[in-house]
Amino acid sequence: MTSHPAPSRRTVARGALLGAAAVLLGASSAGAAQGPPAQGAAALRLPAPTGPHPVGLRTFVLTDPSRPDPWVPGAREVMISVLYPARTVRGFPRVPQLTPAEAKVFAELAPLVRPGLPAGGVDWGAVLTHGHRDAPPLPGRRPVLLSTPGGGDSRTLGTTLAEDLASHGRIVVLVDHPGDASQVELPGGMRWTVLTGPPDPATFRTMIDTRVADLRLVVDRLGDLPLAPVTDLRRIGVYGHSAGGTAAVHALAGDDRITAGVNLEGYLDLDPELVAGLARPLLMLRTDGFEDAARIESSWAGVRARRVLLRRAGHWIFSDYAHLVPQLQAAGLVDAGARAALVGAGDTRRATAVVRHGVRSFFDRRL
C-alpha cells in the first residue's frame, strides 16, 4: 500500500489521447475533441453536504502483487479516495474533483464516453469537492462504506453522495477501477478506459469480476490505512451505480465481511443463482428514464430487497452528472434532449435529496 496524497502530474501526450478517443468512437469523432477550455469557460460547482461535520479527504494507491491487471501487463493497482468526518478543516485546502492531468484527459473524452456532454467550454479542473486534503479525522470508530462507480466513470463522479455520507459521520471509500474508468492518474502515469462502447458479455464479466476483486482488496487493506483508528471494520457496507451496482451486490453476496449494500440501477443477471441466494440487507434504486429498464426489471425479479423508483430521472442521476449537467444546460453547453438522456427532465435537486436520504437512512439502520 502506498499513501498518495499528491498524485503525480505526468502529462499525457495529446496524440495518444486522441488515439484513445478514436478507438472509442472512430477516427472521425476524435477530431471533434478540443483542447484546454477557453478563458471564460463554464465554472461548475458541486452541492454542499448536509451533515454537521466538515469532510476530510485522503488518497491512496493499493497494489495487489498477487493479481495481474486484466487490461494491461503488471500487478493490479487501485486508486482510492477516503472521505471522513474531520475534526477541523482550517488550513487544509479543498481538493479538486480531478487532478490537472485527469481534467485534461476528461476534457477530451467527456463527449465520447458520455454523448451529449460538450467537447469544449468547460474548466473541468476547476470543479472543487468539499473534501479538505489531509484534515485530521474526528475521533471515534465509524462505519465504512465502499463506493464503486458506473461503468466507464472515475471514482470522483460519486463525490456528492460520498461527501454527504461522510458529513453525517461515515467513512466512505471511493474506489477507482483503472482500465474501466475513463481516466485514472496513478503514480506511474495515466490510465484511460479500454471500453469501446457498451461492453460485450465477456468484457462485462471481466469488469465485474475485476471490480469485486478490487473491493475485496480494499476491505483487506482497511486496517492498514492511516485512518484505521477511526474505522469500525465490523460495520462495512457497499454501494455502487450501474456496473458498480452489479459489483456491489456481487461483493455483498460473496464477502462475509460486508453487512449491507445498495444497488443504484445495476443489472443483476450476471450470476442469478448468487443473487437469488442473497439474504443480507439490500436497497435498490432505479429510474423511470433508463433506456434498458426492461432488463433491470427482469434481472431484479425475485431479489429480496427494498426498492425505490425515481421518476422523471435518467440513469446518471445517481452520479455527479445530476448537478453538473443542469449547470451545463444553463450555460448553453448542453441541450434539453441531452440533459433528459443523461439525468432526466425532472428536478435533479429533489432526486439528489431522495438518494442521499435513502442511502443514508438505509445504512443507519443496517450498520
Side-chain angles (χ1 to χ4, degrees), residues 165-218:
L165 291 164
S167 75
H168 284 274
R170 286 79 179 161
I171 309 293
V172 185
V173 183
L174 295 174
V175 184
D176 244 327
H177 305 286
D180 170 351
S182 53
Q183 80 290 315
V184 184
E185 187 175 13
L186 292 163
M190 189 69 66
R191 291 275 302 275
W192 51 80
T193 184
V194 301
L195 301 179
T196 58
D200 59 46
T203 301
F204 187 66
R205 171 92 258 180
T206 300
M207 285 172 58
I208 300 306
D209 288 348
T210 302
R211 283 167 171 254
V212 171
D214 290 345
L215 293 171
R216 287 175 179 161
L217 172 65
V218 174

Side-chain angles (χ1 to χ4, degrees), residues 215-288:
L215 293 171
R216 287 175 179 161
L217 172 65
V218 174
V219 175
D220 289 343
R221 302 291 177 83
L222 283 173
D224 300 327
L225 295 176
L227 291 164
V230 296
T231 60
D232 187 347
L233 300 183
R234 299 167 301 175
R235 294 187 290 166
I236 299 176
V238 63
Y239 69 92
H241 171 226
S242 196
T246 307
V249 175
H250 281 228
L252 176 65
D255 194 325
D256 291 340
R257 297 171 294 179
I258 303 176
T259 301
V262 176
N263 175 11
L264 304 174
E265 206 158 58
Y267 303 127
L268 295 182
D269 52 7
L270 194 60
D271 285 313
E273 292 184 3
L274 176 69
V275 173
L278 179 63
R280 293 175 193 165
L282 177 63
L283 171 66
M284 302 200 295
L285 290 84
R286 70 178 184 90
T287 68
D288 64 356

Side-chain angles (χ1 to χ4, degrees), residues 15-360:
L17 180 58
L18 289 178
V23 169
L24 280 167
L25 286 186
S28 61
S29 298
Q34 299 179 7
Q39 187 174 3
L44 306 178
R45 292 181 174 84
L46 297 175
T50 62
H53 305 297
V55 177
L57 185 150
R58 298 185 187 180
T59 306
F60 305 94
V61 175
L62 307 180
T63 301
D64 185 352
S66 67
R67 180 163 56 108
D69 192 294
W71 313 114
V72 297
R76 182 66 174 168
E77 287 185 310
V78 176
M79 180 76 75
I80 63 172
S81 293
V82 184
L83 292 78
Y84 51 90
R87 178 172 53 81
T88 179
V89 294
R90 181 172 296 180
F92 297 90
R94 287 170 62 183
V95 181
Q97 188 174 31
L98 298 172
T99 69
E102 287 173 338
K104 182 178 179 181
V105 173
F106 188 69
E108 302 279 3
L109 294 183
L112 307 176
V113 295
R114 294 288 169 257
L117 292 181
V122 184
D123 188 355
W124 296 105
V127 182
L128 289 177
T129 73
H130 294 86
H132 295 258
R133 190 185 306 281
D134 295 330
L138 193 68
R141 289 191 175 273
R142 304 178 184 279
V144 183
L145 304 177
L146 312 182
S147 170
T148 173
D153 279 349
S154 67
R155 71 190 188 281
T156 59
L157 280 168
T159 292
T160 297
L161 178 55
E163 288 183 340
D164 196 66
L165 291 164
S167 75
H168 284 274
R170 286 79 179 161
I171 309 293
V172 185
V173 183
L174 295 174
V175 184
D176 244 327
H177 305 286
D180 170 351
S182 53
Q183 80 290 315
V184 184
E185 187 175 13
L186 292 163
M190 189 69 66
R191 291 275 302 275
W192 51 80
T193 184
V194 301
L195 301 179
T196 58
D200 59 46
T203 301
F204 187 66
R205 171 92 258 180
T206 300
M207 285 172 58
I208 300 306
D209 288 348
T210 302
R211 283 167 171 254
V212 171
D214 290 345
L215 293 171
R216 287 175 179 161
L217 172 65
V218 174
V219 175
D220 289 343
R221 302 291 177 83
L222 283 173
D224 300 327
L225 295 176
L227 291 164
V230 296
T231 60
D232 187 347
L233 300 183
R234 299 167 301 175
R235 294 187 290 166
I236 299 176
V238 63
Y239 69 92
H241 171 226
S242 196
T246 307
V249 175
H250 281 228
L252 176 65
D255 194 325
D256 291 340
R257 297 171 294 179
I258 303 176
T259 301
V262 176
N263 175 11
L264 304 174
E265 206 158 58
Y267 303 127
L268 295 182
D269 52 7
L270 194 60
D271 285 313
E273 292 184 3
L274 176 69
V275 173
L278 179 63
R280 293 175 193 165
L282 177 63
L283 171 66
M284 302 200 295
L285 290 84
R286 70 178 184 90
T287 68
D288 64 356
F290 185 34
E291 61 183 7
D292 209 355
R295 181 180 173 188
I296 288 289
E297 291 184 16
S298 174
S299 71
W300 287 13
V303 178
R304 287 173 287 183
R306 179 170 176 260
R307 291 165 167 78
V308 176
L309 174 66
L310 299 181
R311 301 191 181 278
R312 303 189 69 216
H315 185 58
W316 303 104
I317 196 77
F318 299 110
S319 71
D320 290 342
Y321 289 127
H323 320 287
L324 301 175
V325 169
Q327 293 176 70
L328 293 172
Q329 184 185 20
L333 296 171
V334 165
D335 62 28
R339 177 219 165 107
L342 287 164
V343 299
D347 185 344
T348 57
R349 290 172 296 183
R350 182 179 180 280
T352 293
V354 170
V355 173
R356 281 176 162 180
H357 180 266
V359 174
R360 186 172 69 244

